[in-house]
Amino acid sequence: VQLVESGGGSVQPGGSLRLSCAASGIIFSSSAMNWYRQAPGKQRELVAASDSVGSTNYADSVKGRFTISRDNAKNTLYLQMNSLKPEDTAVYYCNTKTKNPWNRFDDHWGQGTQVTVSS
């Protein structure tokens, strides 16, 4: 499984960014996909989730501002981030889980992409 994020950068408060995650090694269309983030000194937290049937979920802190979407033809996951706040500053990670031969789930992570929101 390989997950490669892109699209991070620096933006002023109120700005927008779109993150992308190119996935390989999985049947993307039938995989649940997630975006996590980790700020300095804080635990990694789930930001948004997309299951294989189109349902989505968001952390309360990003509801109404972030949108998770996927293009199954391109095996790519997106995170559109609008109205960005300084507290959104973090490294953002793409994640998926696969079931191993022992019927347990293994986490797979991308390398992360830095998002910095600052004036």
Side-chain angles (χ1 to χ4, degrees):
V1 178
Q2 187 174 20
L3 304 172
V4 180
E5 301 100 335
S6 61
S10 295
V11 64
Q12 292 187 339
S16 298
L17 284 172
R18 189 176 81 154
L19 306 183
S20 300
C21 170
S24 59
I26 57 173
I27 302 174
F28 184 82
S29 60
S30 59
S31 297
M33 301 293 299
N34 309 298
W35 285 103
Y36 283 76
R37 68 185 180 187
Q38 188 167 19
K42 294 188 176 182
Q43 288 191 331
R44 194 170 294 190
E45 63 173 350
L46 179 64
V47 174
S50 168
D51 71 11
S52 60
V53 295
S55 296
T56 58
N57 281 292
Y58 298 92
D60 287 343
S61 58
V62 307
K63 278 181 184 176
R65 300 189 298 120
F66 290 11
T67 303
I68 188 171
S69 62
R70 56 198 298 162
D71 185 335
N72 289 337
K74 295 182 178 180
N75 288 358
T76 301
L77 181 74
Y78 302 100
L79 185 68
Q80 178 67 44
M81 305 185 294
N82 298 328
S83 302
L84 282 161
K85 303 176 181 181
E87 51 264 42
D88 295 319
T89 296
V91 178
Y92 284 71
Y93 297 91
C94 182
N95 165 270
T96 191
K97 304 179 194 303
T98 57
K99 191 177 284 188
N100 64 29
W102 299 273
N103 266 343
R104 295 185 177 181
F105 285 94
D106 294 327
D107 274 302
H108 303 277
W109 301 93
Q111 82 285 358
T113 186
Q114 176 71 47
V115 172
T116 302
V117 185
S118 173
S119 54

